[in-house]
Amino acid sequence: MNAAATGPEAVPGQVPGKVGVLGGGRMGAGIAHAFVLAGAEVVVVERDEQAAAGARERVEGSLAKSLERGTIEGTLDYLTGRLAVSTDYADFASCDLVVEAVPEDFELKSSALKAVEEQLAPTAWLATNTSSLSVTKLAATLQRPARFCGLHFFNPVPASLLVEVVLAEETSEELATAARAWVQALGKTAVVVHDAPGFASSRLGVAIALEAMRMVEEGVASAEDIDAAMVLGYKHPVGPLKTTDIVGLDVRLGIAEYLASTLGERFAPPQILRDKVARGELGRKTGKGFFDWQQ
């Protein structure tokens, strides 16, 4: 990793003062939620006014649920006072850190990251939330690759205790140290990995999920029983097929195709996954995947 110009220092127990999030879907909203709770001012930027309104609703709804459960302190007005939602990339100009959380497509992420970087101060940090794409290849498209890393959050972000800090070839030591401090300040645990296809979590998680799909396809057992085996026998909090439904079958298909292209046929997507995606059975977001979410 290379050295980089000095930027906003990582203070133990603190997140950057102002954090941007590009994309306010389920994942982006969760990331915004986490940084708001940790004390940052947060701006979420979306593609249009309708998407921006949806992003605000997701973040505010998530914060309200946390307050209702008593897992956080404060008032909703106080917390949402640190949240802004926009459609203008220029609103990232005053951010110390921006986390990109757009769909898992290399060209989309690359173009979005370059557009964000154009708005940032030279000392600001930039991160991608990709779950499988090469952080090093994304960094190669940027002007300041030393100030860029992966921050792979997990759904649902407010409840998840893990963040993968993914170090690209040119990620600076300063950023690697800062990222670990930010994750700790969010109340989560950082797992630091060097850039490789699927990192650690996606590579292992997808491998288990694909084998579970093959077992359904071959009639070995039902989705319910396969998941129960992993939950009760291996203490997984959620089974691999229900997790696939939560992540989205289309997302899992894209990751599997990428891993198959880089790591080999052992990650080739089963036909059952391709068929479900073709039928629009994408999991919880469409009401049906390996499980029925409409009941």
Side-chain angles (χ1 to χ4, degrees):
M1 295 183 293
N2 294 340
T6 300
E9 292 186 5
V11 179
Q14 292 184 15
V15 294
K18 186 168 183 181
V19 176
V21 180
L22 178 62
R26 181 182 297 275
M27 180 61 75
I31 294 170
H33 172 125
F35 278 105
V36 165
L37 288 189
E41 291 184 31
V42 177
V43 57
V44 179
V45 173
E46 261 290 3
R47 64 185 180 276
D48 55 41
E49 293 294 343
Q50 182 177 0
R56 178 178 291 280
E57 183 178 347
R58 277 185 285 275
V59 180
E60 291 185 350
S62 178
L63 290 169
K65 287 180 181 178
S66 293
L67 286 167
E68 289 170 6
R69 288 193 295 265
T71 56
I72 61 174
E73 298 180 354
T75 66
L76 186 59
D77 285 345
Y78 172 72
L79 293 172
T80 57
R82 295 203 292 266
L83 173 69
V85 180
S86 169
T87 60
D88 189 351
Y89 277 49
D91 288 330
F92 287 140
S94 58
C95 289
D96 303 307
L97 165 69
V98 174
V99 182
E100 165 271 310
V102 302
E104 198 76 353
D105 176 88
F106 184 89
E107 294 303 327
L108 176 62
K109 284 185 179 290
S110 177
S111 62
L113 287 164
K114 286 188 285 186
V116 172
E117 187 184 44
E118 289 178 0
Q119 303 297 328
L120 298 181
T123 55
W125 307 109
L126 182 58
T128 175
N129 183 57
T130 181
S131 57
S132 65
L133 299 175
S134 172
V135 178
T136 297
K137 289 183 178 178
L138 288 170
T141 69
L142 300 174
Q143 296 298 312
R144 297 185 290 275
R147 307 195 71 77
F148 176 69
C149 72
L151 288 177
H152 178 206
F153 289 81
F154 292 77
N155 257 326
V157 176
S160 173
L161 298 178
L162 175 66
V163 178
E164 269 186 315
V165 176
V166 185
L167 307 181
E169 291 178 3
E170 294 195 56
T171 301
S172 69
E173 292 286 356
E174 183 185 6
L175 177 52
T177 299
R180 287 192 290 268
W182 300 333
V183 173
Q184 182 180 9
L186 292 173
K188 303 181 188 299
T189 297
V191 173
V192 180
V193 299
H194 291 278
D195 188 30
F199 316 137
S201 61
S202 292
R203 187 164 169 175
L204 289 169
V206 170
I208 294 171
L210 294 178
E211 190 59 30
M213 294 174 204
R214 294 186 189 100
M215 292 169 68
V216 173
E217 192 172 56
E218 294 166 9
V220 174
S222 67
E224 291 81 1
D225 285 348
I226 291 168
D227 271 16
M230 297 307 294
V231 171
L232 301 176
Y234 289 87
K235 305 302 182 184
H236 288 204
V238 182
L241 296 170
K242 184 162 287 186
T243 298
T244 295
D245 275 10
I246 294 169
V247 170
L249 275 70
D250 52 337
V251 175
R252 273 277 158 93
L253 176 59
I255 294 171
E257 289 177 330
Y258 172 70
L259 292 179
S261 71
T262 54
L263 295 175
E265 281 300 303
R266 67 187 187 276
F267 285 98
Q271 192 60 43
I272 189 173
L273 176 59
R274 294 190 183 279
D275 291 345
K276 283 182 173 292
V277 170
R279 291 196 297 268
E281 297 175 9
L282 307 183
R284 181 168 64 179
K285 59 189 172 186
T286 60
K288 186 177 181 181
F290 285 95
F291 294 88
D292 186 351
W293 294 85
Q294 297 174 318
Q295 297 178 349

